[in-house]
Amino acid sequence: ILKTLNSWFWWENIWMPINCTWADFVDREGLVFPKPHQLYATIPYAFVLLIIRFFSERYVAIPLAKALGIKNVRRVKPQPNPVLESYFRECSRQPSQSEIKGLAKKCNCTVHLVEKWFRRRRNLEIPTVLRKFQEAFWRFSFYLTSSIVGFIFLYDKPWFYDIWQTWVGYPFQTLLPSQYWYYMAEIGFYWSLVFTLGIDIKRKADFMAHVVHHLAAIGLMSGSWCGNYVRLGTLVMFVHDTADFWLEAAKMFNYARWEKTCNILFIIFSIAFFITRMILFPFWILRATLYQPTYYSTTPVIAYFLFNGMLLTLQGLHLYWGYLIFKILKRFVFLK
């Protein structure tokens, strides 16, 4: 069964143009191609990034937070109580007055102590400002670094200025070392975000949107790697990262209560977001993936529909986040 599924998954008609086979993607003089098995390396790279994250949050983010005036608030832990802990996890975090009285009798203590225990236990679930700052700092560091490195990798490439160049010579386009490391770092980063979903701060407004985004990003990058859509893939990654570090910077100054700086950074982020996600992505990237391939092949392969489906999913998320950003800007302008 596994062999059959594997042969179906790697069927040439899914991934590459007509009259091309996987045998054509063997490295030869002057040509190096991306190989699917190389994606296994993104998992250990993800753990390397997690190690870097641990040290950067501990030894860079914390001193920086202190310099900006953010204090590490230590919350008082409630006394260990298996009965109350079990009720907190399985039943309710905010029990009614009658439930509190019942728990007080069960634990042989006063109602006041039970109320105090639940209040302290709920406070432990709320992430501290320092914890939020550390997480924002890590994302800011990665997005800023990837934006700078991405620009260095792309600025001298012809397809950075002429999107038609992404299809010239396809699918026999050689893989550059810079493209390899750009992909490995980006996929490894999103794997690391997936691995830490359970411990990172959960935001009710768009938690599921983030889950969908991370998985769609990994699927899209991995698929584009296998199909050698690397030139377009690097452009997609660059367009996404260049706005995100402004948001994380705004968050950091928001946590430090530097209100004017936060507002300026958020306005810059909003402008960058609408330029990259609402203009460049749909009218530059999607145009190159939906429209331009028809000039090079009259019979689009299955991957054409799969990749464009995921790109359109990302654009749907852009519209959702754009709506949230617009709501914040509206409040900022009209309600001060």
Side-chain angles (χ1 to χ4, degrees):
I1 293 172
L2 290 175
K3 283 184 178 180
T4 304
L5 292 173
N6 188 60
S7 64
W8 288 350
F9 184 80
W10 296 113
W11 183 35
E12 281 91 347
N13 287 3
I14 293 178
W15 296 98
M16 57 193 67
I18 292 174
N19 300 325
C20 287
T21 66
W22 290 112
D24 297 320
F25 280 78
V26 176
D27 293 351
R28 49 188 180 272
E29 189 175 345
L31 285 175
V32 177
F33 297 105
K35 301 165 187 65
H37 68 81
Q38 291 172 318
L39 293 174
Y40 290 124
T42 60
I43 301 298
Y45 288 147
F47 285 104
V48 170
L49 286 170
L50 288 174
I51 294 169
I52 296 171
R53 174 179 177 175
F54 172 79
F55 284 102
S56 65
E57 286 186 354
R58 190 181 184 104
Y59 297 107
V60 182
I62 291 177
L64 180 60
K66 289 179 180 177
L68 292 172
I70 298 173
K71 297 178 181 179
N72 186 16
V73 179
R74 292 186 179 180
R75 296 193 171 119
V76 180
K77 291 184 179 181
Q79 291 291 328
N81 190 312
V83 175
L84 298 181
E85 182 67 30
S86 175
Y87 193 90
F88 181 87
R89 290 180 176 278
E90 298 173 11
C91 299
S92 175
R93 297 185 176 190
Q94 292 185 324
S96 63
Q97 200 62 33
S98 60
E99 290 170 334
I100 288 174
K101 288 178 181 178
L103 288 167
K105 288 180 180 179
K106 197 171 183 179
C107 297
N108 195 26
C109 61
T110 64
V111 170
H112 174 71
L113 285 174
V114 174
E115 290 175 339
K116 187 177 178 181
W117 189 96
F118 273 94
R119 186 166 57 251
R120 288 182 173 178
R121 185 64 182 84
R122 282 194 299 269
N123 286 341
L124 285 180
E125 298 288 305
I126 302 171
T128 63
V129 175
L130 180 61
R131 182 73 199 99
K132 291 179 180 180
F133 182 90
Q134 287 176 282
E135 188 174 307
F137 173 81
W138 164 244
R139 292 173 188 253
F140 166 79
S141 302
F142 181 84
Y143 290 135
L144 178 61
T145 304
S146 63
S147 297
I148 294 170
V149 171
F151 179 75
I152 293 169
F153 286 164
L154 289 168
Y155 85 97
D156 61 342
K157 305 299 187 295
W159 54 88
F160 189 59
Y161 307 96
D162 181 9
I163 197 77
W164 284 93
Q165 293 293 324
T166 58
W167 294 108
V168 173
Y170 180 82
F172 303 112
Q173 298 170 341
T174 191
L175 176 70
L176 304 174
S178 60
Q179 292 171 329
Y180 171 85
W181 288 111
Y182 197 12
Y183 257 80
M184 293 299 110
E186 288 280 345
I187 299 176
F189 175 71
Y190 281 103
W191 273 125
S192 73
L193 293 183
V194 171
F195 296 157
T196 57
L197 275 172
I199 59 175
D200 282 342
I201 298 165
K202 291 184 180 179
R203 296 169 179 83
K204 293 179 182 179
D206 62 350
F207 174 73
M208 284 309 301
H210 270 96
V211 174
V212 173
H213 176 271
H214 298 343
L215 295 177
I218 292 169
L220 188 58
M221 288 186 285
S222 300
S224 66
W225 178 264
C226 295
N228 200 17
Y229 301 106
V230 173
R231 291 183 181 180
L232 271 169
T234 53
L235 293 178
V236 172
M237 292 187 290
F238 180 73
V239 164
H240 278 74
D241 289 345
T242 47
D244 288 343
F245 70 85
W246 292 106
L247 175 63
E248 301 303 332
K251 288 180 185 178
M252 289 161 61
F253 283 100
N254 180 48
Y255 300 143
R257 299 188 182 277
W258 289 36
E259 196 170 313
K260 288 184 180 179
T261 307
C262 169
N263 291 341
I264 292 168
L265 287 169
F266 187 79
I267 290 170
I268 295 172
F269 158 71
S270 302
I271 295 169
F273 182 92
F274 283 104
I275 290 173
T276 56
R277 311 288 178 90
M278 301 299 181
I279 298 175
L280 288 179
F281 188 79
F283 298 109
W284 190 48
I285 300 291
L286 285 179
R287 182 173 175 270
T289 61
L290 287 167
Y291 170 67
Q292 290 178 1
T294 59
Y295 277 81
Y296 293 92
S297 176
T298 54
T299 53
V301 293
I302 296 172
Y304 169 87
F305 301 99
L306 294 175
F307 295 143
N308 280 300
M310 286 188 280
L311 286 170
L312 289 170
T313 300
L314 284 181
Q315 184 57 26
L317 291 171
H318 297 163
L319 293 172
Y320 172 69
W321 280 318
Y323 166 71
L324 295 180
I325 293 165
F326 178 76
K327 281 177 65 179
I328 296 171
L329 287 175
K330 186 178 176 182
R331 286 167 53 193
F332 174 72
V333 172
F334 294 105
L335 302 177
K336 304 299 180 184

